[in-house]
Amino acid sequence: MAETADCVGQEPHPVDDDFFKEPMKKRRRSDRDQRFRAFPSVEQSTLKEYEKLESRTRRVLSNTYQKLIQSVFLDDSIPNGVKYLINRLLALIEKPSLDPIYIGLFGSTGAGKSSLINAIIQQAMFLPVSGESICTSCIVQVSSGCCEWYEAKIHLLSNQEWKQELKNLTKLLHRPEQLGREEEDAWDRDDAVEEAIWKLQMVYGNGVERKSYEELLRAKPKGKIPTSRVITLKAEEAGELSLKLDPYIRTQRRGWDGGSAETQIWPLIKLVEVTLPKSELIPEGVVLVDIPGTGDFNSKRDEMWRKTIDKCSVIWLISDIERVSGGRAHEDLLNESIKACQRGFCRDMALVVTKTDKLHLPEYLRERKVGSQAIQSQREAVLERNEMIKLQRNKVLKEKLKRKLPTDSRVLEDSELVYTVSAQEYWQQALLTEEETEIPKLREYIRRRLLDKKRRMVTKYVTEAFGLFLLTDSFSCTDNLPNEYLHVNGLRRFVEEKIQLLEKAIDQCFAHIVQPLQEGVQNARSSYRQILGACLVRSRGNQGFHQTLKAVCLKNGIYASRTLGRIDLNEAITQPIYEQIDPVFGGIFRSGKPSDGSALMPHIDAFKRSLQEKMTEIGIRNGWKYDSYKKSFLIQEISAILGGLEGHILRKKRRIYESLSTSVQNDLKPCYEEAAQITGKKACERMKDVLRRGLDRQVDEGMFERAQERMQHQFHQLKNGITEKVKGSVTTMLTLAWSQGDGLYKELADVKSECKEMEKLHRSLREVAENALLRRGMQDFLLRMSPSKSGPPKTWI
C-alpha cells in the first residue's frame, strides 16, 4: 500500500501561485476501459459503474473549482471559507484514483518467486529463473499500465551510495599482514570476503580486490553507467524486453568473467520497475514485487528492502514443497512477514507452496498414513498430498499468527491461508489441470483485493466530495440564529472537553504496553549473553566468519549475506522484548472494538460519534431543519478529518515498533566501531570480546531501560500529534461552518447545479453497491449450476 496523505490539520492557506493551478486532466475513456481487461465480465460491469461514478464526481469537482477560481481571481481579499473550500476541492481533484496494491513475494533462494510471477502474468521465461542458485539479484516490481510498450526502468545506486559501499568493501578486503596459516585459510573462505571480491570484479575486472579505496575511485567501470543513474528499456514484445532485461537482474556465478556490459553493473542496481501493456491477467493498480529473502550489504539497498516489505499491503510467503515443513530459513522469513503486519501496512498474508508437482510416488505410497482409498496415479497422489499440506500448514500458520497478532486481525479471518501451486504444471499440464495448479486462484485473489479496495475508495471519495458541497450550501443556508456566536463558543468548549477525554483514553490505551515492555526488558537482561553467543557462532567456529563479523560491525550490527542469511544483532538482542509486546502492540493498532479499551482507533471513532451526535442535538434544539446543510456538512467533514488520521497513525507505527532495536543499535554503535577496527592475529576472537564487554557495559548502564523509555516516548508523541491535528482541524471547520457573516460571496450561487449533481451521485452509491451484490449472487449461482471443470487432463494422441 502507498502512504496515504494526511487529511487533517488543513488550516486555510494563503493565496499563492499554486492556488490557481489547473487540476489533473481526466483519463481518456479508452484508457479507463483497458484497466478492466483482467476481470470477468460481471466484475467488469461493477468496476465500470464505480469508475463512472468516480469520473463524474471528478468532473463536478473540477467544474466547481474552475467557477470558484474565476469568481475570486481579481479580488484582493478572499474569505477563509472560500479558501478552505477551494483548497479542499483541489486536493480531492488531484487525489490519485487508486493507490497501488503492493503484493510482496517473499522467499528464500530457489523458492520459485520469479517462476510464479511469470505464470501469473502468462509469460513463461519473462523473469530469469533457476532452480540451482540465486537468480534475481535485486528487488523487481512488475505491474501493468495503459502503455503500448513493454518497459523496464533500472534504478542504480547514486554515485555517493556506491562510494560508501566501495569504502566498506575495501575495508573488508584489507588482509592483515600477520596471519597464521589456519587464519589465512579461514580468511579466504570467509563469506563476506568472497562476496566483496565478487562484486568488485564484476564492476571493475579481475585483480581489483587488491586495490585501495582511492585507487578504485579512479578506476573505470567495465560497464557504462548513465549520469542519470536510471536505465530505461523498451520493447514491443515481452520476449524482446526479457532478453534485454535478463543481464541486469540475473545474478552471475562467482568466478565467472566476461559477458556483456550490462552484466557488469548489476552490483549497482537497487530496483527494477517493469510495466506491462494492457494486461488481461494483471489489473492496473496491482504491483507484484519479487523481494530477495535477506536484504543487502549496501545500506541503501537494505533500507529499500525493508521499506518495500513494509509498504506491501499483502505478503505471499513463498516456499517450495520440499522446504515448507520447517528449517531456519523458512522460519526467519515467516517471522519477517509477521513483523511486516506489526510495523507496516500489511493487512493480509498467505503461504504459497510452490513446485507441488514434485513427488516421488513409490516413496509417497510407502510413507502414506492417511486415507483408505487406493492411489491410482501420480496425479491423485499430488492432489492428496497438496490437500494434506494445506490442512497442516494452515493450522500451523494460524496458530503462529494468533500468538503474534490480535485475534480480530483480518488475516486470521481468512479461511484459506495456504495455496499449493505449480508453475511448471501450469505450462505443461501433464499431471494437473490449469485450475488445479491454483495459478488462476491467485489471480482471483488479486482481483478480489483490487475490487474491494476500489469499492471502498470510491465510496469514501464520493462521500467526502458530497460533504464539501454541503459546505457551499451551508454558506447560503438560512438556519442562522441570533445567538449563533454563543453556539460556536459552546461547541468549541464541547470539543475541548472531548479532546481532553480523548487524550485520557489514548493514555489508557497506550498504558497496556507498559507491563509487557517491563517484562520483556527483564527477559532481555537475563538472556542477552546467550543470544549474542548464538549469533557469534557461525560456520565452523571462526572459520569463514572473520570478515563476516567485521561486515556486521561495519554496518552497525546488521549484515545481509546471500549465503549465510540475514544477521541482525540488534534485533536478536531485543527479540525477548518483542516476544512480550507483539500481541499487545498489534492490539493497540487493530481496527476492531475490544472491550478492554486497548485499541486506538475505536477511541477516535467514539470521539467522532460524540461530535456528530452533538451536531444533531444542536440542530434539533435550535430549529435547524432535519436535513440542514450545515449539520450534514459538519457530520461529513468530521468523518473526513478523523478518517485521515489512520494514514498518519500507520506511518508512525513503524517508527514506534522499530524504536527498540534502533535504540539498542545507537547505544552499541561505539562497540561496533571499535570492533570493526580490529585487525591482525586472532582478530575474530578479539572482535567478539569487544562486543561482549561492550554489551555488558551498556546493559549495566540501562540500555534496555532506555529502549523502553524511547518506545514510550514515541507513543507519547503519537498521542500529541493526534490531539493537535484533531484540535486544529475541528476548530477550523467549526469556524467555517458559522462564517456566513464573513462576507461570503453571492457568486457561490452559480454552483447550485453542481450541488444537485453531487447529491444525485451520492444517492447512487447505494444503487451501485446493490447492483454489484446482485451480479455476484447471479455469478455464484451460475457457477454452482455449471459442470465442474476439475478432472484429469486430456491425453492427446
Side-chain angles (χ1 to χ4, degrees), residues 371-385:
S372 56
Q373 186 175 356
I375 293 293
Q376 301 294 329
S377 65
Q378 179 93 357
R379 175 178 176 276
E380 290 180 1
V382 167
L383 291 175
E384 181 184 78
R385 190 273 317 273

Side-chain angles (χ1 to χ4, degrees), residues 482-634:
N483 57 349
E484 197 75 35
Y485 179 77
L486 297 176
H487 293 303
V488 175
N489 286 335
L491 258 179
R492 282 177 176 163
R493 285 195 298 272
F494 176 82
V495 169
E496 288 173 359
E497 291 171 1
K498 287 297 179 181
I499 288 176
Q500 289 176 0
L501 292 175
L502 177 62
E503 285 182 323
K504 291 180 181 178
I506 294 175
D507 280 334
Q508 292 171 0
C509 168
F510 291 167
H512 286 80
I513 201 75
V514 175
Q515 184 176 346
L517 263 175
Q518 293 171 342
E519 293 173 355
V521 165
Q522 292 304 314
N523 293 344
R525 288 183 67 90
S526 62
S527 61
Y528 74 90
R529 288 191 181 94
Q530 181 181 356
I531 292 171
L532 180 65
C535 290
L536 297 181
V537 176
R538 297 273 172 164
S539 300
R540 299 174 298 278
N542 292 338
Q543 296 182 24
F545 191 56
H546 182 157
Q547 295 303 93
T548 295
L549 183 56
K550 173 164 279 194
V552 172
C553 296
L554 283 170
K555 307 304 290 184
N556 292 322
I558 302 173
Y559 175 57
S561 165
R562 295 180 186 275
T563 54
L564 289 179
R566 187 174 182 83
I567 303 171
D568 190 334
L569 296 185
N570 312 300
E571 204 166 83
I573 291 166
T574 52
Q575 190 58 36
I577 308 179
Y578 282 114
E579 288 175 356
Q580 287 295 122
I581 70 166
D582 272 352
V584 180
F585 188 92
I588 288 173
F589 294 99
R590 79 177 83 176
S591 56
K593 299 179 181 179
S595 58
D596 60 359
S598 62
L600 175 59
M601 288 309 296
H603 292 302
I604 295 174
D605 290 337
F607 174 75
K608 177 181 72 174
R609 287 194 302 274
S610 69
L611 290 187
Q612 291 173 334
E613 289 168 1
K614 188 67 174 178
M615 303 303 162
T616 303
E617 176 193 328
I618 290 176
I620 294 173
R621 188 173 66 239
N622 295 289
W624 289 353
K625 296 190 296 290
Y626 182 75
D627 60 344
S628 165
Y629 293 128
K630 184 181 300 181
K631 181 196 72 176
S632 299
F633 158 71
L634 291 172

Side-chain angles (χ1 to χ4, degrees), residues 30 49 84 87 114 165 182-183 293 347 395 532 615 622:
S30 59
E49 283 193 349
Y84 181 89
N87 283 324
S114 298
E165 177 153 14
E182 184 177 335
E183 288 178 314
R347 290 289 180 271
K395 181 180 179 181
L532 180 65
M615 303 303 162
N622 295 289

Side-chain angles (χ1 to χ4, degrees), residues 161 258 276 322 384 424 498 524 538 577 626 655 714:
E161 290 163 357
L276 312 176
E322 295 178 346
E384 181 184 78
Q424 181 170 313
K498 287 297 179 181
R538 297 273 172 164
I577 308 179
Y626 182 75
R655 180 178 293 181
Q714 291 283 345

